[in-house]
C-alpha cells in the first residue's frame, strides 16, 4: 500500500482573510483588534498573525507551527533593537507615528517598573496557542494601544512582562529567512 503524506498546507484551508471595517478608529489601530485577539475570529488551537510585510513561502505553516510547539507564543526577536526606549526613539522619527506620544509611552512603562531592555520582538509575525492567558494579554495589549499609540512593538513587551509570558524566539531571523520574505509596507516611512 502506498502511504500518502499531506502537508499542513495541503490538508487544511489554513488562510482566511477577514475584513472588518471600524470607521470610528484610525485604520492602523483598527487592524490591531485581530492582531491582539485572533481568538475572536477562529476556533482553532493555533493562530498565526502575518502582517502585510510578510510574504510566506512553501512550508511556512509547518515551520511556524513546529517552532511554536508547546510554547504559548512565539515571535522573532527584533533584528535591530532590544529596548523599548530605543524603539520609541526610532519610531518618533517615522512619518506613520507623527503625533503619537511614543517617547512618553516608553518613559511611562519605565516609570512603572518595566526594564526597557527586557526584550523586544517584531510583531509582524506572531504564532500563538489559544489560551485564556493570551486572550487577557491581547485585551491588555489592545488597551495600551488605545491609551497610548498604535505602535504595538512598544506596548507588547510591557504587557508580556506584566503577564509573566516571554515569547519563544523563532529561529532564522527576520531579514533572510527560508520560510518567508519581508517587504516594506507602502506607508512605513
Amino acid at each position: 500500500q502506498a502511504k500518502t503524506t499531506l502537508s499542513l498546507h495541503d490538508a487544511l484551508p489554513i488562510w482566511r482573510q477577514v475584513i472588518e471595517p471600524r470607521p470610528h478608529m484610525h485604520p492602523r489601530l483598527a487592524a490591531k483588534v485581530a492582531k491582539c485577539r485572533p481568538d475572536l475570529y477562529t476556533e482553532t488551537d493555533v493562530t498565526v498573525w502575518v502582517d502585510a510585510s510578510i510574504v510566506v513561502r512553501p512550508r511556512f505553516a509547518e515551520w511556524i507551527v513546529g517552532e511554536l510547539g508547546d510554547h504559548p507564543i512565539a515571535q522573532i526577536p527584533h533584528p535591530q533593537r532590544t529596548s523599548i526606549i530605543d524603539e520609541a526613539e526610532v519610531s518618533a522619527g517615522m512619518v506613520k507615528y507623527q503625533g503619537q506620544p511614543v517617547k512618553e509611552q516608553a518613559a511611562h512603562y519605565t516609570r512603572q517598573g518595566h526594564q526597557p531592555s527586557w526584550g523586544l520582538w517584531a510583531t509582524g509575525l506572531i504564532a500563538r496557542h489559544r489560551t485564556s492567558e493570551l486572550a487577557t494579554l491581547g485585551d491588555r495589549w489592545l488597551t495600551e494601544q488605545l491609551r497610548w499609540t498604535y505602535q504595538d512593538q512598544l506596548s507588547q513587551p510591557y504587557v508580556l512582562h506584566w503577564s509573566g509570558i516571554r515569547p519563544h524566539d523563532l529561529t532564522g531571523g527576520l531579514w533572510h529567512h527560508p520560510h518567508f520574505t519581508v517587504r516594506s509596507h507602502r506607508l512605513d516611512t
Side-chain angles (χ1 to χ4, degrees):
Q1 282 186 350
K3 182 177 177 182
T4 303
T5 304
L6 294 175
S7 72
L8 184 58
H9 177 73
D10 296 332
L12 301 171
I14 57 174
W15 302 111
R16 183 180 73 136
Q17 183 179 25
V18 176
I19 299 171
E20 186 177 50
R22 296 180 187 275
H24 60 287
M25 298 174 87
H26 187 285
R28 290 189 189 278
L29 185 57
K32 308 298 180 157
V33 176
K35 186 175 193 174
C36 295
R37 289 295 309 276
D39 57 295
L40 298 175
Y41 298 87
T42 183
E43 296 295 319
T44 62
D45 293 334
V46 172
T47 60
V48 179
W49 172 265
V50 179
D51 81 9
S53 68
I54 305 289
V55 178
V56 301
R57 293 183 178 149
R59 303 283 184 232
F60 170 83
E62 290 91 347
W63 165 76
I64 199 160
V65 170
E67 286 273 324
L68 177 62
D70 292 333
H71 303 284
I73 186 169
Q75 290 175 245
I76 292 180
H78 195 287
Q80 295 153 314
R81 292 174 284 287
T82 59
S83 165
I84 62 171
I85 300 297
D86 293 342
E87 182 70 3
E89 187 68 35
V90 170
S91 298
M94 298 175 76
V95 172
K96 70 179 177 176
Y97 299 124
Q98 291 301 303
Q100 298 280 302
V102 291
K103 290 182 179 181
E104 294 86 348
Q105 180 181 8
H108 171 77
Y109 293 155
T110 301
R111 285 192 303 276
Q112 296 299 309
H114 181 75
Q115 295 297 313
S117 60
W118 183 79
L120 187 67
W121 292 266
T123 60
L125 182 60
I126 306 170
R128 64 195 122 188
H129 284 280
R130 180 187 193 89
T131 68
S132 60
E133 292 82 14
L134 288 178
T136 300
L137 182 143
D139 286 341
R140 178 92 189 258
W141 189 18
L142 188 58
T143 298
E144 289 300 312
Q145 291 171 73
L146 289 165
R147 179 179 181 195
W148 287 101
T149 71
Y150 46 72
Q151 205 309 19
D152 59 30
Q153 287 182 171
L154 291 177
S155 53
Q156 194 203 34
Y158 176 71
V159 298
L160 284 164
H161 191 220
W162 169 84
S163 301
I165 298 171
R166 188 174 192 88
H168 170 68
D169 291 344
L170 294 171
T171 60
L174 187 63
W175 302 126
H176 305 288
H177 203 281
H179 297 288
F180 61 86
T181 57
V182 179
R183 62 180 181 196
S184 296
H185 286 291
R186 263 185 314 126
L187 303 173
D188 261 3
T189 57

